[in-house]
Amino acid sequence: MRAARFHRYGGPEVLTVEEAPEPHAGPGSIRIRVRAASINPIDWLFRSGALAQAVPLELPAVPGRDAAGVVDEVGPGVEGVEPGEPVFGLGGLADTTAEFAVLTAWAPVPPTWSIEEAAAAGLGSVTALRGLAPLGDLRGRTLLIDGVSGAVGTAAAAAALHAGATVIGTASEANHAALRDAGVVPTTYGPGLPERVRELAPQGVDVALHAAPSDALPALVEIVGDPTRVVTVLDREGAARLGTHQVDAENDSAVLAEAAELGRDGHYRPRVAHVLPLDEIVKAHALAESGSGKVVVTLP
């Protein structure tokens, strides 16, 4: 099969498109013919070698944590899914940007999403919904999301709004109009966040989610006033120091099914900024790493 791979750690230029061995579905998993795979921050952290000491990969490695496509193998013990069904989901730590990928968590693609949107939903939605869980019932509460226009923030805002929360979110000004249309109260990143939020929510903020690669976690604790009502999906060290919750993504089909239901009901639509073909994987990774929005790679 054709796949993106890197034989050594480094910048986007270490990526190539080449022939690689096909994976096959084992117990509790399915294989899909991949139509689209998204690029997440974890992908370039692995590719760059930033995580090599903590989580060494067997090289050459295929980047990618999530994907969408059509089921073509069903492993032993798997029920409720058949070959030919379109699904989105999560593979291993690095293995989905290829013609075939094995998923261990998946859900049907909602008819309201394109395949590119489905590819963008896997890791972001699982991280978002798990991140909201420690905050409890959101109905009638005000939630602040740092990084509301990213993949995690988009899913978290959709779920929180559907649950009856007021959502305030940090984002670049270019995204503010779209956020207002979605029902989110936008503000900007950076210094002065507590003051800006107080103007937007004089009644106070109940809970907060740190979903951007920023240093805003201390400010979120200051705004909320209680670290146990703040969750980070990124800053493990900050969580330990400040006493906030820290949540990691897990391959969980039940959580993906929740995201799919939000999509079917029109409450959640993953945001995609750039779509590039597999042959442009170097450009795709460079774009994703530049912070210019969600990048999805498509396969024939």
Side-chain angles (χ1 to χ4, degrees), residues 129-263:
L129 295 178
R130 282 183 50 78
L132 291 178
L135 301 177
D137 187 359
L138 296 175
R139 184 175 301 279
R141 305 171 85 189
T142 299
L143 166 68
L144 173 61
I145 301 176
D146 185 50
V148 74
S149 61
V152 175
T154 297
L161 288 167
H162 179 56
T166 297
V167 177
I168 300 171
T170 65
S172 62
E173 290 190 16
N175 291 317
H176 283 195
L179 289 168
R180 289 190 187 95
D181 289 343
V184 174
V185 179
T187 188
T188 52
Y189 292 107
L193 181 61
E195 293 75 19
R196 292 193 299 278
V197 171
R198 276 195 288 271
E199 290 183 7
L200 294 171
Q203 77 283 2
V205 170
D206 300 297
V207 288
L209 177 67
H210 179 233
S214 73
D215 58 2
L217 191 58
L220 300 186
V221 173
E222 176 187 342
I223 290 165
V224 173
D226 179 354
T228 66
R229 291 189 278 118
V230 178
V231 175
T232 178
V233 299
L234 295 162
D235 190 350
R236 186 180 299 275
E237 184 277 329
R241 175 169 45 85
L242 297 169
T244 72
H245 297 277
Q246 191 273 325
V247 172
D248 293 318
E250 291 183 1
N251 286 24
D252 190 330
S253 293
V255 179
L256 289 172
E258 289 181 44
E261 184 175 357
L262 286 169

Side-chain angles (χ1 to χ4, degrees), residues 48-153:
S48 70
L51 301 178
Q53 288 192 335
V55 189
L57 298 179
E58 182 178 344
L59 300 179
V62 175
R65 193 66 184 83
D66 52 15
V70 176
V71 178
D72 86 329
E73 284 184 4
V74 176
V78 174
E79 298 179 353
V81 64
E82 299 290 339
E85 292 185 26
V87 299
F88 71 105
L90 299 165
L93 293 177
D95 57 10
T96 61
T97 312
E99 288 183 321
F100 296 98
V102 171
L103 306 183
T104 58
W106 61 88
V109 175
T112 52
W113 294 354
S114 68
I115 201 68
E116 293 83 8
E117 289 167 336
L123 188 60
S125 64
V126 165
T127 306
L129 295 178
R130 282 183 50 78
L132 291 178
L135 301 177
D137 187 359
L138 296 175
R139 184 175 301 279
R141 305 171 85 189
T142 299
L143 166 68
L144 173 61
I145 301 176
D146 185 50
V148 74
S149 61
V152 175

